[in-house]
Structure formats: C-alpha cells, structure tokens
C-alpha cells in the first residue's frame, strides 16, 4: 500500500467510527520526510501486540480514562531520555504555547488539569489504570526505541502483516479467556465485527501518524479523541462542563502543535474543535429550553399538595389525646377492644416525655391484632418452634420486668447487629413497671421482612399456630407475597376508614398523594417488576403463618411487627451538626451515592431493581426514555410536555460499589453505570435535595438526612414504625416507584423560586419534626407500647380470639 491510498481509507474510516478522530490526523503528516526502513525484531512485535491487547481489554472492560491523560508528559520524558528532540525535526514555530507541548512541566500541567476536570479521584481506579497505561507506554516506547538511531523507522506498511497476526493471536486468547469466565458475549456478531474493524483502522492510522511525526502526536491525538468525545451533558456543574471544553481545546492545540506540517494544513485541523464545541453548545441550549418551560406561578400541583399536607398534619397534631380518659376512649374507638394492661402507666410515660403521638400507633396494632387468633400459650409455642427451625435467622430476646434488662440469643451467631443494646437502652427506664414478668420476643436478623399471615378464613394455619419457613433467596417472590391480596384489600379499607387523607388529583404526573396507598402492593400490580426485594431478594426466608417476629421494615402485605431499626443508632447513620452545611451553601441539586444492594442480580432483571432504575434515570442512561415535564398554558392551566432531555446538572447520583451479583451481571452493571469513588458518609449533606431509597431492607441513612438541613426525597416500598408520624410533603418529599414525576419534581424544587421555598421548608420541617417526634425517647415510647401489646399477646391465660 502506498501513501496514495490514505484519503480513500480515511473516508471509509470516518464512516465507521467518527469519534476516533485521532486517526484522522494520520495523513496530515504524509508530506514529512520519507521513511527509512529497518527490520523490526520479532520480540518487539510481540511486545507491541501484547500491550495493545492489554490496553484494548482494559479500555473495553472499564472504559477508563484515569492515568492515560498523563501520557503526553511521559512520552515526552521517554523521548528525552532516549536522546532526541522532536523540535529538531518539525522546526516548530516558536510561540508561548510551546511550553505546553515541549516542556515536561507544561505537559504535566495540562495532564493534571484534565485529570482534575474529568476524573473523580478514586485510588482503586487509578491503581487499575496503571496497567493499560504502562501497556500503551511500552507500545510507544518500544517502537520509538527501535528507531532511536534512525528516527521514524517503524514502517507500518511493512510490519502491518506480522503485527496484526500477533495482535489477532493475543486478542483471541483474551476473548477465549473472557468467554470461559463470563460466557459468550451478548452483543451481536455484527456489532463486534464492526467495532473490531474500526479499532483496527484506528490503530493503523495511529501508527501511521506516529510514523510520519512522532508517537507523541499519536498519543496526543488519542487523548483528544478520548477527551473530546466525553458527553458534556454528564457533568454535574456548568463549570465542569466548561473546563472540559477548555481541556479538549488545549489537547487539540497540543496535537496540532506537535504535528510537523505546513501551517495551512495545521489551521485546517482546528476544524476538529467542533467535536467538543457542538455537544457543549447543544447541551447548554437544551438546559436553557428546559428552564424556559418551568412553571413559576403557584399553579404548580406541588403547591397544592404541600398546602393540603400541612393542613392535614395540623389536624393530626391537634387531635392527639391529652388525657388518659381520652387516650383510652380513642383506643377503644379505633380498635373496638380495651387497651392492654399497663396502658395508663404508658400514657403517663408518653405524656411526661412530651410524645407528640399518643393515639396513632396503627402500624403496631395492625401487626399484633391478627395474632390474637392464637391463644397466649399457642403464641409462646409458635415462637419457640420458629426460633428452633433450621436457619430461622431469629434472635430470641427476653425482657426481664424486674431488672429491665433484655438478653438475646441466636442458635449460632454472636454478633447481633446492636439488637440487645438497642432494647436495653430503650427499655432501661422500665424497671419495676412489669413486676415479676418476663416478655419474650423474636427479632429478625436479616434485612428483609419475614412474615406473611394467612387471612382469617384460612383455617389450616390457625390450628395451633402452624407455619412454614421457605428459603426464597434470589427468586421472584411477588406471587407468594401477594397471594392473599383479595382478602387484604377489604381489611385495609376497614382499618383506614375515616382516616383516609384526601388530596385533589393534581395532574397526570403521579405525585404521591397518599403514602399508605402508594405502599400497597395489592393496588399496584406493576410493582411486581420494580423492586429488588420482589424480583430477587438477597436472603428472604419467609415464615407463612402466625408468628410474631419483630422486623425493621415490611411490605404492605406482610405481618412483621415493626420496631425502630437499631441501625439508626449506629455512628455511621447518626446526624452530626458539624458535618452539615447551611442551606444557602448547599449545592442546588439532588444527591445520592450508594451500592447496588436491594436485590441479588442473577439475570438481566437487575436493570429493574429499584436502585438501578433510579440511577439509570438520574444518569440518563436510557437515551430512548421520554421524561414528562409540566408547563403552564396561557390561561394558567398545567399540561404535560415530553422530552428525552434530563438536566444532569441537577443530579449528583452514582453507584460507588457493585455488589450482590453473579459475576456476569456485576460486569454488566460496572459497564452500564458511571461509577464513582466511595463517598464520605456525610457527603449528601452538601446538597439541598437528598434522595433516599430502600436497600435490601429499610434505608438506615434516612434519619440522618431527615435531621439535616437538606430536604429528603424519599422513595420506599417498605413500611416502618414511623409511618404513622411522618407526613409526606411536610417532612419529606415522597417519590413514586415509577419515578415518572422525578425529573419535574427536581427541576421545580431546584430551579424555581417557589420550588426552592418548598424544598427549604420541607428541609426545615423535617429537621424540626425529627427533633420532636423521632428522638430516642420517642422510640422508647413506641417500644414500651409494643411491649404492652406483646405481654398481652403471650399472656398464658389469654384464650384465642375468633
Ligand atoms: C437459600 O437459597 C439460596 C439460593 O438458592 C442459597 O444460596 C442459600 O444457601 C440458601 N440458604 C439456606 C440457608 O439454605
């Protein structure tokens, strides 16, 4: 092949892979001095092939940039050490910019600038990227060294045959190993072939570029193609996007400057500045357009939701009983049964500690009452058998009324996730309150809820408290967990009668108006494929039957007795004022970082797990997805506008760890998401809006976020003990499982004056309410009342209620 074939190949190449613009620099150097050829050693060819293989593999696997941005200064060092200087060849035109091309400090500065703008500092990732980095450095230096005496002696035309044969061998070995480890690649054969051919051309032209100028040119062009084609819309700030553009242009300038060519040909290369400029400008325009559509008036449906919720909350506060007689009366009115023995002492305790909630313990009652179908003795028997069932994963705790101490034991575990400590702290005040009686209870060790209670009509399970225990780990559980839905709907309607919070249906976006309806699996068949716990729970071991088990969270169809998670008291999850920031100093965006827990990925369904769906949305990874926004018409009406645009400036969201997956699906997730380095535990507090969603079980960081100045956007399918006292749109902003409303919600709360006011107010109300309704003593009040109910439940003189 002669030089004349260059332009033809150029066209073909552009057709294949436009982003690999680095290769287009190849032919520019063609007018440089003709090459002198020299045979290349076989060893050198193998070294080059091997390192090309390693580099390609890393790039494909991790898509990493990292240290590669530092290639230019290192190639310069290499060249200087090997004893020649490019300038003697190119006759470079002296200009100030030369410092950034020809000096080590100048090129290092540029490299550090790029690293600062484009990469999050993650030591693991950098340690990893040394491998491909060293690989590509060896490729360049080997070839340069070959030719150190007679510069530019590697003749690509001549070595392309033997070299590509070796590269093919290396790649075949890599692909073989990969197939062995992960199974056959899932992408189609055509895309693999196209990509392969494109990459081959890229390397070929890189080599030609190097041949006609220097490897530094190839390196710089490679970096330009890498940097300039990073999507500017992923940046979380305007500044970062702008610096990214500046960085791309500097690298282009470097590349152009290194190339030994006529000034005229060089200026033509500035054409490539469009590669970073066009996406940058287009992204800025998109952001402008989205901002122009925002609703600035009070006609936004969120305003009405907030108004209604605040009014409802006021009513709730006002309606709590203030005397024992009233509390007693209210208990009987709600549940049609006398309160448990000791209720008066409990009331005095709650009142003495200024508990803002006296009557609203429905979540507790609804879990306890189905168990009355067993007698006190049957309850005790069922607990004993459940504890002893193989792999029950239950702690059996015993509270001594005399000492007010609780001791817990497990068939084989010793570390109890702070359970015993938690109960000792919570019940420490109760010495002598339950004279001479011991109360036993089972506490779930796992994150996932445990119990499904068959309806009353199902007589087979009632008989002396029979139950089954099934390992449902890593399999879809929707059908099991919703099989009693038809009967439960009726019960739920009865229970919530008279308390249903009414809110006007605001628009076609699914803003949550009623929290308990939103959690109800029976009313939402679509949840079947929307949550990790329903699709592939990590360690669900389900009891089906009447067994009292304390869990920290449970689904609407489940019968676990809820108690405050001991995790909330652990240092990692407690709020510290020192790490919080004033509202005005917080970044005006939505923050979330975490790992891929929530479900165990054993197949492609991971994409439907709740956390994965959220990050996919917030990182706008599904480019075909249409988002819904609200706009205001001339006459003040609100209507929907659809757009595939999502303003990434408003989202600082990423996975920091891929976990709970089989290797193929770990790899798939690593490649799909833009991972970030592990964040500081209080990093969220730097943002005005903080997202919170379920993990395998409840999210332990919720209270920290609630206690802070930030506003919490809470998405949950799991119920918690506090659901009776936290009010959506007052203390937190609820987010639906489908999240169709999230783009509009975040735009409104960050980018309009009214929305910012709402966000700030929710942040403040959440913080204040946390300080008066979710104090340690509030949890004690709850646990105390729970203990009363448990004592009555297991009272051996109580007979079954039918
Ligand atoms: C439960 O099932 C999962 C998945 O089939 C399995 O990995 C695990 O070992 C089982 N656990 C027990 C205790 O049998």
């Amino acid at each position: 092949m002669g030089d004349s074939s260059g332009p033809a190949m150029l066209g073909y190449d552009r057709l294949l892979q436009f982003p690999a613009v680095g290769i287009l620099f190849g032919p520019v150097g063609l007018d440089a001095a003709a090459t002198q050829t020299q045979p290349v050693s076989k060893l050198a060819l193998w070294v080059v092939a091997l390192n090309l293989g390693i580099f390609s593999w890393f790039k494909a696997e991790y898509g990493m940039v990292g240290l590669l941005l530092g290639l230019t200064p290192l190639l310069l060092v290499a060249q200087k050490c090997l004893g020649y200087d490019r300038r003697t060849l190119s006759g470079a035109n002296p200009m100030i910019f030369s410092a950034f091309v020809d000096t080590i400090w100048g090129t290092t500065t540029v490299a550090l600038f790029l690293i600062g703008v484009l990469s999050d500092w993650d030591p693991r990732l950098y340690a990893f990227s040394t491998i491909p980095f060293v690989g590509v450095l060896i490729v360049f230096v080997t070839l340069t060294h070959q030719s150190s005496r007679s510069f530019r002696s590697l003749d690509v035309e001549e070595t392309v045959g033997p070299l590509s044969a070796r590269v093919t061998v290396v790649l075949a070995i890599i692909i073989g190993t990969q197939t062995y480890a992960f199974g056959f690649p899932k992408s189609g054969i055509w895309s693999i072939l196209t990509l392969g051919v494109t990459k081959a051309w890229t390397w070929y032209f890189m080599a030609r570029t190097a041949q006609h100028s220097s490897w530094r040119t190839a390196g710089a062009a490679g970096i330009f193609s890498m940097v300039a084609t990073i999507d500017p819309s992923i940046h979380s700030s305007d500044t970062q996007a702008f610096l990214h553009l500046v960085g791309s242009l500097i690298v282009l300038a470097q590349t152009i400057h290194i190339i030994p060519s006529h000034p005229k040909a060089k200026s033509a290369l500035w054409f490539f500045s469009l590669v970073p400029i066009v996406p940058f400008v287009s992204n800025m325009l998109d952001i402008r357009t989205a901002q122009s559509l925002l609703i600035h008036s009070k006609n936004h449906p969120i305003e009405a939701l907030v108004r209604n919720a605040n009014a409802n909350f006021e009513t709730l506060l006002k309606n709590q009983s203030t005397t024992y007689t009233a509390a007693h009366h209210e208990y009987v009115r709600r549940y049609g049964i006398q309160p448990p023995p000791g209720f008066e002492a409990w009331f005095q305790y709650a009142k003495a500690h200024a508990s803002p909630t006296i009557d609203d313990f429905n979540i507790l009652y609804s879990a306890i009452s189905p168990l009355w179908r067993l007698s006190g003795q049957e309850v005790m028997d069922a607990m004993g058998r459940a504890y002893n069932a193989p792999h029950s994963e239950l702690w059996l705790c015993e509270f001594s009324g005399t000492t007010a101490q609780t001791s817990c034991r497990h068939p084989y575990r010793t570390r109890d996730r702070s359970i015993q400590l938690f109960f000792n702290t919570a019940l420490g005040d109760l010495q002598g309150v339950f004279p001479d009686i011991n109360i036993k209870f089972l506490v779930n060790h796992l994150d996932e809820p445990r119990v499904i209670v068959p309806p009353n009509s199902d007589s087979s399970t009632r008989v002396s408290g029979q139950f089954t225990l099934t390992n449902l780990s890593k399999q879809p559980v929707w059908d099991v967990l919703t099989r009693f839905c038809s009967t439960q709907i009726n019960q739920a309607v009865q229970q919530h009668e008279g308390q249903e919070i009414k809110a006007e249906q605001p628009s076609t976006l699914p803003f949550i108006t009623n929290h308990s309806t939103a959690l109800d699996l029976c009313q939402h068949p679509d949840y079947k494929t929307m949550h990790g716990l329903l699709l592939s729970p990590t360690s669900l071991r389900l009891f089906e039957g009447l067994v009292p088990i304390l869990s920290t969270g449970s689904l609407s169809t489940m019968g676990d007795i809820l108690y405050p998670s001991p995790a909330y008291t652990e240092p990692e999850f407690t709020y510290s004022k020192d790490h919080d920031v004033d509202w005005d100093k917080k970044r005006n965006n939505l923050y979330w970082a975490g790992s891929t827990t929530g479900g165990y990925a054993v197949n492609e369904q991971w994409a439907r797990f709740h956390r994965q769906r959220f990050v996919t949305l917030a990182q706008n990874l599904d480019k075909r997805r249409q988002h819904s926004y609200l706009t205001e018409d001339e006459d003040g009406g609100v209507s929907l506008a659809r757009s595939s645009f999502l303003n990434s400036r408003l989202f600082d969201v990423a996975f920091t760890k891929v976990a709970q997956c089989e290797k193929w699906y770990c790899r798939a997730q690593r490649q799909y998401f833009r991972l970030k380095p592990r964040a500081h535990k209080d990093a969220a507090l730097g943002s005005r809006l903080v997202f919170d969603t379920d993990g395998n079980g409840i999210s332990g960081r919720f209270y920290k976020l609630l206690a802070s100045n930030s506003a919490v956007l809470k998405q949950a399918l799991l119920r918690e003990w506090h659901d009776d006292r936290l009010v959506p749109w007052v203390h937190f902003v609820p987010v639906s499982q489908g999240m169709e409303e999230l783009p509009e919600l975040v735009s409104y709360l960050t980018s309009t004056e009214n929305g910012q006011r709402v966000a700030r107010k929710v942040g403040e109300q959440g913080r204040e309410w946390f300080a008066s309704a979710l104090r340690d003593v509030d949890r004690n009040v709850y646990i105390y009342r729970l203990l009363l109910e448990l004592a009555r439940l297991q009272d051996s003189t109580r007979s079954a209620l039918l």
Side-chain angles (χ1 to χ4, degrees):
M1 280 186 285
D3 285 344
S4 58
S5 60
M9 268 184 261
L10 192 69
Y12 184 40
D13 186 87
R14 198 186 324 200
L15 197 71
L16 283 172
Q17 197 194 29
F18 179 69
V21 286
I23 59 181
L24 296 179
F25 291 101
V28 177
L30 292 184
D31 62 340
T35 56
Q36 306 165 19
T37 53
Q38 200 183 55
V40 180
S41 85
K42 285 208 168 87
L43 179 69
L45 285 177
W46 274 115
V47 169
V48 171
L50 185 66
N51 284 293
L52 277 181
I54 290 175
F55 177 80
S56 305
W57 183 74
F58 265 87
K59 192 83 174 54
E61 200 67 18
Y62 299 98
M64 55 179 50
V65 179
L67 284 176
L68 292 173
L69 297 172
L71 204 56
T72 307
L74 274 156
L75 282 174
L76 187 64
V77 172
Q79 285 201 352
K80 292 213 163 163
C81 293
L82 294 170
Y84 64 89
D85 184 17
R86 182 203 66 83
R87 265 189 297 181
T88 56
L89 292 143
S90 72
N93 29 1
M95 50 191 271
I96 299 171
F97 193 75
S98 302
F100 291 102
V101 179
D102 295 325
T103 68
I104 290 170
W105 69 264
T107 47
T108 308
T109 309
V110 173
L112 289 178
F113 173 74
L114 289 174
I115 289 177
V117 172
L118 292 175
S119 345
D120 287 300
W121 176 251
D122 183 353
R124 280 173 315 165
L125 207 69
Y126 275 84
F128 241 36
S129 74
T130 47
I131 300 172
F133 177 70
V134 168
V136 77
L137 201 61
I138 289 175
V139 171
F140 287 177
V141 173
T142 309
L143 294 173
T144 309
H145 189 61
Q146 272 285 316
S147 50
S148 60
R149 256 181 297 135
S150 54
F151 186 58
R152 284 184 286 162
S153 70
L154 169 81
D155 191 322
V156 175
E157 314 291 331
E158 199 170 273
T159 53
V160 75
L163 184 60
S164 43
R166 285 165 175 82
V167 171
T168 311
V169 171
V170 171
L171 288 180
I173 293 172
I174 293 177
I175 291 174
T177 318
Q178 217 166 33
T179 310
Y180 177 74
F182 296 114
F184 281 101
K186 305 234 158 152
S187 41
I189 185 78
W190 283 114
S191 78
I192 293 177
L193 279 182
T194 320
L195 206 66
V197 170
T198 315
K199 290 203 165 157
W201 281 121
T202 310
W203 282 106
Y204 174 70
F205 278 108
M206 282 270 238
R208 277 175 62 112
T209 310
Q211 181 186 2
H212 291 288
S213 52
S214 79
W215 278 102
R216 282 175 58 213
T217 322
I223 290 174
F224 174 70
S225 69
M226 199 157 69
V227 169
T229 53
I230 293 175
D231 181 359
S233 75
I234 66 171
H235 295 308
S236 56
S237 76
D238 287 345
T239 320
Q240 195 186 9
F242 179 71
L243 292 179
H244 173 199
L245 175 65
V246 171
S248 305
L249 295 179
I250 292 177
V251 179
L252 180 61
Q254 276 184 326
T255 315
I256 294 174
H257 195 83
I258 300 175
I259 290 176
S261 184
H262 299 308
K264 212 169 168 190
K266 283 191 179 203
S267 17
L269 287 173
W270 278 104
F271 173 74
F272 288 107
S273 60
L274 289 180
V275 174
I277 290 176
V278 168
F280 175 82
V281 171
S282 125
N283 182 231
M284 293 304 266
L285 289 177
D286 282 344
I287 293 175
R288 278 284 174 81
T289 313
Q291 277 167 347
S292 70
L293 290 175
L294 289 169
I295 300 179
H296 293 277
S297 75
K298 292 248 178 179
N299 290 338
H300 198 285
I302 288 177
E303 297 291 328
L305 286 168
V306 169
R307 260 196 318 274
N308 287 339
N310 275 286
N312 286 331
F313 176 57
E314 303 271 299
T315 318
L316 185 85
L317 272 185
K318 249 187 287 170
N319 287 352
Q320 299 299 313
S321 302
T322 51
T323 63
Y324 171 65
T325 321
H328 181 276
H329 184 258
E330 180 62 18
Y331 191 105
V332 175
R333 187 195 71 79
R334 284 185 186 222
Y335 310 130
I337 185 172
Q338 289 296 316
F343 189 66
E344 183 164 8
W346 172 84
F347 172 82
Q348 301 304 348
Y349 180 85
K351 202 163 162 49
H353 290 99
S355 169
T357 309
I358 297 291
D359 303 317
D360 286 279
F361 288 83
N362 291 345
I363 205 141
L364 181 52
Y365 177 82
S366 63
I368 296 278
S369 56
L371 297 161
W372 290 338
R373 279 145 58 193
L374 299 182
S375 71
Q377 191 55 52
E378 284 169 335
V379 167
M380 291 296 282
D381 294 347
M383 289 202 313
R385 277 180 289 115
Y387 173 72
N388 287 316
H391 302 286
S392 69
E393 290 301 353
L394 296 173
W395 290 87
L396 179 59
C397 299
E398 188 160 357
F399 169 81
S400 151
T402 321
T403 61
Q405 290 296 298
T406 306
S407 62
C408 300
R409 60 176 199 267
H410 186 279
Y412 62 92
R413 290 183 192 274
T414 48
R415 291 188 45 188
D416 74 348
R417 314 184 79 182
S418 314
I419 291 171
Q420 182 171 308
L421 177 70
F422 175 78
F423 283 102
N424 270 329
T425 316
L427 300 171
D429 288 348
L430 302 187
Q431 199 167 357
V433 171
F434 301 86
D436 306 327
I437 66 162
N438 290 346
I439 300 164
K440 288 186 174 165
F441 49 94
L442 295 170
V443 183
N444 175 15
H445 179 84
L446 305 174
D447 290 329
E448 294 90 343
R450 301 299 297 276
V451 189
I452 179 156
V453 174
N456 220 342
S457 52
D458 189 327
S459 56
S460 62
T461 48
R462 201 212 76 75
V463 182
S464 63
Q466 293 300 329
F467 59 79
T468 55
L469 173 57
T470 328
N471 180 3
L472 293 175
S473 164
K474 303 176 193 174
Q475 48 185 290
V477 297
W478 171 266
D479 293 341
V480 178
L481 296 185
T482 57
R483 46 195 271 219
F484 301 126
C485 266
S486 52
T487 45
Q488 264 175 0
I489 282 182
N490 302 334
Q491 283 172 9
V493 168
Q494 276 165 19
Q495 265 173 28
H496 287 101
E497 210 181 354
Q499 295 172 51
E500 196 75 359
I501 297 169
K502 281 272 169 282
E504 60 198 69
Q505 189 54 37
S507 66
T508 39
L509 275 182
F511 293 111
I512 288 185
T513 51
N514 182 322
H515 195 56
S516 61
T517 312
L519 297 184
D520 191 346
L521 299 194
C522 297
Q523 295 186 42
H524 295 275
D526 47 328
Y527 288 176
K528 179 174 182 173
T529 54
M530 295 174 87
H531 201 283
L533 178 53
L534 296 167
L535 285 162
S536 181
T538 301
S539 51
L540 182 63
R541 296 186 61 73
L542 189 71
F543 282 98
E544 203 176 306
L546 295 167
V547 197
I549 294 176
L550 271 58
S551 291
T552 57
S554 86
L555 294 169
S556 71
T557 55
M558 301 183 74
D560 301 66
I561 301 166
L562 296 174
Y563 81 107
S565 172
Y568 284 134
T569 59
E570 287 169 10
E572 195 197 334
F573 295 122
T574 42
Y575 172 71
S576 149
K577 221 174 162 43
D578 303 339
H579 293 155
D580 203 356
V581 184
D582 285 341
W583 179 266
D584 294 320
K585 296 207 183 104
K586 288 178 192 270
R587 277 172 299 133
N588 194 15
N589 63 8
L590 178 75
Y591 181 94
W592 186 84
S595 57
T596 58
T597 53
Y600 197 98
V602 292
N603 52 36
E604 310 272 313
Q605 295 284 332
W606 59 261
R608 297 174 160 201
F609 294 176
H610 50 292
R611 288 188 164 191
Q612 279 82 343
R613 284 189 305 111
F614 166 63
V615 177
T616 302
L617 171 64
Q619 294 192 335
N620 208 19
L621 296 174
D622 180 2
K623 297 287 180 209
R624 285 163 309 170
R625 179 169 179 155
Q626 290 285 311
H627 307 293
S628 301
Y629 296 95
L630 296 178
T631 60
E632 193 168 16
D633 314 329
E634 308 268 287
D635 56 1
V638 169
S639 59
L640 274 183
R642 313 269 292 159
S643 162
S644 61
F645 174 72
L646 184 88
N647 187 353
S648 306
R649 306 282 196 275
L650 306 179
F651 294 86
D652 183 357
V653 170
F655 282 123
T656 54
K657 189 177 160 198
V658 172
Q660 295 186 6
C661 39
E662 285 178 359
K663 59 187 175 181
W664 175 268
Y665 303 101
C666 289
R667 179 170 175 249
Q669 294 186 73
R670 267 203 311 274
Q671 293 180 344
Y672 185 66
F673 295 108
R674 291 196 298 275
L675 300 184
K676 282 223 295 207
R678 204 177 149 76
H680 183 267
K681 67 184 174 64
D682 288 330
L685 306 186
S687 289
R688 288 186 180 174
L689 306 181
V690 288
F691 195 79
D692 191 45
T693 186
D694 298 332
N696 290 331
I698 60 115
S699 163
R701 52 185 120 162
F702 183 38
Y703 286 1
K704 182 201 306 199
L705 303 178
L706 202 59
S708 77
N709 295 324
S710 303
V712 192
L713 270 66
K714 175 81 174 164
Q715 182 194 48
L717 202 52
L718 288 163
R719 300 176 302 150
E720 280 187 72
W721 76 281
H722 58 224
D723 283 2
D724 284 322
R725 58 182 73 197
L726 284 174
V727 182
W729 299 108
V730 178
H731 306 123
F732 63 93
V733 176
V735 176
S736 74
Q737 290 300 317
M739 296 175 288
E740 290 90 349
E741 82 282 28
L742 190 65
E744 171 65 25
L745 189 60
V746 173
S747 304
Y748 186 70
L749 296 180
T750 53
S751 314
T752 69
E753 209 172 301
N754 288 329
Q756 289 184 357
R757 206 171 22 74
V758 167
R760 186 177 187 144
K761 188 169 151 195
V762 169
E764 275 166 15
Q765 291 180 146
R767 190 188 63 216
E768 284 163 14
W769 189 237
F770 178 82
S772 56
L774 293 170
R775 301 161 299 166
D776 290 351
V777 71
D778 292 306
R779 286 173 240 175
N780 301 353
V781 166
Y782 180 92
I783 300 277
Y784 184 173
R785 181 153 166 167
L786 167 62
L787 214 62
L788 292 185
E789 296 286 4
L790 289 174
R792 167 161 72 176
L793 187 68
Q794 60 191 247
D795 177 359
S796 56
T797 63
R798 187 183 58 79
S799 48
L801 185 88
L802 278 177

